[in-house]
Amino acid sequence: MSTVVAVPTAGADAGAPPPTRSPRPSWRAGRTRRIALRAVALLVLLGLWQALAVLTDNPTFIPSPGAVWDRLVQTSSTHDGVRGYSGHLLIEHLGVSLRRILVGSLVGVGAGLVLGLVMGTVPWVRVAAEPVVTFVRALPPLAYFSLLIIWFGIDETPKLWLLSIAALPPVAVATASAVTAAPATLVEAARALGGGRWAVTRDVVLPHALPEIFTGIRLAVGIAYSSVVAAETINGVPGIGGMVRDAQRYSQTDVVVLGLFAIGLSGLLIDALLRAAEDRLVPWRGRG
């Protein structure tokens, strides 16, 4: 007794369509869509801004985008014998503020890292220092700026102290929290292999804490940047915050809006640089 097995021929399935897969959008196409969406959103905001300026018909209340653009051209060049604003170009005002923010942030972030690391590794230091750090973090910058002026005068020193104090608490809190949250199993395993306190902190605790530390650094730089206007309320020209405060006194709303745009756009650039540094230095963020 023989069994016949039917073998399908190649021609039987020749006419059948191949299985289709849903096409995935390429990275380039996704990036193009994001750029297009942001451009459309920007155009919509500009249209709403122009409409509000026309409806109010009061440049002191809401200047038009064209008025702010004209002010940008004036403050970036010498116009009718006047150089920029208060004798300084817009880029010079912004450069002075960025230098203050850079120095203040470096001091505040450095001190916050050291303090947070000690708070996270030495329990009694955390118990003693945590209320003080929380107290300082809750204070608005203007609350202690007057005291800094009494102590250090009206030159650069109180401004740098203000930005440093504003930048310290977020980094200290983030670092202490991240160090404390390091996996106990990994720490005990490193100690069992003969690692000392510093070796365990350097090779186990800090790599685990770096993502949260970077988040604290980004917050600290943002807080320092938002405090620059307060830091430049006294003798702040040249400086973008001082320019804004001076324009506010004379109801030059277009200069105020221009200064806000300069602060916001440069802040976006700084945050993008910090995120790029984070992606390069902490490639394991978000990975199990």
Side-chain angles (χ1 to χ4, degrees):
M1 181 177 178
S2 61
T3 304
V4 178
V5 180
V7 179
T9 60
D13 296 331
T20 58
R21 295 181 179 178
S22 57
R24 282 187 172 183
S26 63
W27 176 83
R28 188 183 299 274
R31 182 181 180 186
T32 302
R33 280 197 293 270
R34 289 195 298 271
I35 293 176
L37 181 60
R38 290 172 180 173
V40 170
L42 179 60
L43 291 175
V44 170
L45 290 175
L46 285 176
L48 291 174
W49 179 8
Q50 177 65 34
L52 288 174
V54 172
L55 289 175
T56 56
D57 194 23
N58 185 356
T60 303
F61 187 65
I62 299 181
S64 66
V68 176
W69 175 261
D70 291 340
R71 184 63 71 170
L72 170 63
V73 175
Q74 292 177 8
T75 56
S76 301
S77 59
T78 301
H79 185 74
D80 293 336
V82 180
R83 185 173 185 271
Y85 186 90
S86 295
H88 300 276
L89 300 178
L90 177 64
I91 191 65
E92 294 173 345
H93 286 289
L94 185 60
V96 171
S97 295
L98 290 177
R99 179 182 59 80
R100 290 167 177 161
I101 292 168
L102 176 63
V103 175
S105 296
L106 285 177
V107 174
V109 168
L113 285 173
V114 174
L115 179 60
L117 186 61
V118 175
M119 288 171 59
T121 53
V122 183
W124 69 266
V125 174
R126 177 164 189 163
V127 172
E130 191 171 31
V132 178
V133 174
T134 304
F135 175 80
V136 174
R137 185 177 59 170
L139 290 176
L142 283 176
Y144 49 86
F145 188 45
S146 300
L147 185 61
L148 294 175
I149 291 175
I150 293 174
W151 287 347
F152 303 109
I154 61 174
D155 293 329
E156 287 293 294
T157 305
K159 301 177 181 63
L160 298 179
W161 270 104
L162 176 69
L163 298 177
S164 301
I165 294 173
L168 187 149
V171 181
V173 172
T175 303
S177 176
V179 169
T180 305
T185 54
L186 294 180
V187 173
E188 294 300 329
R191 288 175 179 171
L193 293 174
R197 177 187 289 271
W198 166 241
V200 173
T201 302
R202 180 193 61 200
D203 299 331
V204 178
V205 175
L206 280 181
H208 178 272
L210 271 180
E212 192 168 347
I213 291 175
F214 258 98
T215 301
I217 292 174
R218 289 176 58 194
L219 289 173
V221 174
I223 292 174
Y225 214 137
S226 64
S227 303
V228 72
V229 176
E232 294 176 346
T233 52
I234 305 297
N235 195 24
V237 177
I240 198 69
M243 186 187 78
V244 169
R245 294 284 298 181
D246 187 71
Q248 173 261 325
R249 294 190 186 98
Y250 299 103
S251 298
Q252 295 177 320
T253 314
D254 49 359
V255 178
V256 174
V257 173
L258 176 61
L260 294 179
F261 271 111
I263 293 173
L265 292 176
S266 56
L268 285 176
L269 178 60
I270 292 175
D271 189 69
L273 293 176
L274 289 174
R275 292 180 65 179
E278 180 182 6
D279 292 339
R280 179 174 292 271
L281 297 176
V282 194
W284 58 87
R285 184 185 183 110
R287 301 178 182 177

